[in-house]
Amino acid sequence: MSFQTTPLSNPSEAKVPQGWALVIDDHPLFCDALELTLRSVANFDRVVTADSLESALNRLADDAPPSLILLDLNLPDVDGLDGLMRLKRTAESTPVIIVSSMTDNSIIANSIVAGAQGFVPKHSHRSVFLEAIQTIAAGDVYKPAGYVEGNGAENREDHLSRLSSLTNQQARILDLICEGKLNKQIAFDLSIAETTVKAHVTAIMRKLGVQSRTQAVLVAQEAKYSKVLPTSD
């Protein structure tokens, strides 16, 4: 769902569109703060909050697509960037802004590759959120001050891009492959024919650019924090 903004000289006058917004953050104080921030810079019909990815996905299943989603990467039921990619597969047309305390250059780059339309560090002033919303409304991707283009991780970013191209069913099957399940077991778990599973596995390997299930599992690990977080000193 698209939305419009009106350029403003005073952030307090900001008025962003009709429609509703979804805030996903498991920390009650941050969740409330993000809700208040959106209400202060936008004219959404309503702002809905969720404390987990699962509750957010349930909300999306029961409602029309929101105009905007704010997502914290660090959720109790999310492993790395997989949550963002699942969210984008469910609400494909909705722009997602990552709001995170993790602001390493590689995290920002990988989030954008995985489908985020913007990245705003937590504790940012409301004017930064306004700028991000207006940037996205203009058709651009919002990157925070200090972000440096190109971080020497082209291969990893290519893997994330390929992972984000999977359909919901393909993503579910890849998850089961990562658990070590065979086609017959996957077919049973998903109540589909084994031939259908085989067709999906072939499509998954083609999209990921790999030749084996083992290679597919290795690519899937690129969506884990252990791969996308910077190494600690």
Side-chain angles (χ1 to χ4, degrees):
M1 179 180 295
S2 61
F3 57 84
Q4 302 175 346
T5 59
T6 302
L8 300 162
S9 58
N10 185 348
S12 65
E13 298 173 357
K15 300 300 176 187
V16 176
Q18 68 279 1
W20 64 287
L22 176 61
V23 174
I24 311 172
D25 193 308
D26 69 321
H27 194 292
L29 291 179
F30 275 124
C31 200
D32 290 346
L34 290 174
E35 178 182 359
L36 290 174
T37 295
L38 277 187
R39 292 187 183 280
S40 71
V41 302
N43 262 351
F44 293 110
D45 297 334
R46 55 197 167 98
V47 178
V48 177
T49 62
D51 61 3
S52 68
L53 182 69
E54 194 62 35
S55 61
L57 293 175
N58 289 336
R59 169 66 71 170
L60 291 171
D62 296 334
D63 213 327
S67 295
L68 180 68
I69 297 175
L70 298 189
L71 172 68
D72 180 18
L73 288 177
N74 190 20
L75 296 172
D77 57 344
V78 167
D79 191 0
L81 294 173
D82 179 63
L84 170 60
M85 291 186 283
R86 288 174 60 193
L87 194 63
K88 288 299 297 182
R89 284 192 287 264
T90 301
E92 183 178 359
S93 62
T94 301
V96 177
I97 296 177
I98 297 298
V99 183
S100 177
S101 58
M102 299 181 295
T103 58
D104 183 87
N105 208 71
S106 63
I107 295 293
I108 298 171
N110 287 322
S111 296
I112 292 170
V113 169
Q117 277 71 43
F119 193 106
V120 175
K122 277 190 175 179
H123 304 294
S124 293
H125 190 273
R126 65 181 58 179
S127 62
V128 176
F129 284 89
L130 172 59
E131 182 182 0
I133 291 172
Q134 291 180 325
T135 297
I136 292 170
D140 297 322
V141 174
Y142 181 80
K143 302 165 187 175
Y147 173 74
V148 180
E149 294 286 354
N151 61 0
E154 291 81 3
N155 187 58
R156 182 181 60 216
E157 292 179 9
D158 178 63
H159 286 170
L160 287 169
S161 180
R162 289 175 181 272
L163 283 167
S164 64
S165 73
L166 298 179
T167 66
N168 281 323
Q169 186 76 315
Q170 289 167 353
R172 284 193 290 268
I173 289 173
L174 180 56
D175 284 341
L176 294 173
I177 291 174
C178 290
E179 293 176 12
K181 295 194 174 183
L182 303 175
N183 287 353
K184 181 182 295 186
Q185 296 170 305
I186 295 173
F188 178 80
D189 288 349
L190 300 181
S191 300
I192 59 178
E194 188 174 350
T195 53
T196 302
V197 174
K198 290 180 180 178
H200 278 306
V201 171
T202 298
I204 289 168
M205 290 195 293
R206 184 181 66 251
K207 285 186 175 181
L208 298 185
V210 299
Q211 303 299 318
S212 70
R213 296 164 75 100
T214 300
Q215 290 176 333
V217 170
L218 293 175
V219 170
Q221 298 309 307
E222 294 295 338
K224 308 302 181 184
Y225 274 146
S226 60
K227 298 294 183 182
V228 300
L229 278 176
T231 56
S232 57
D233 294 330

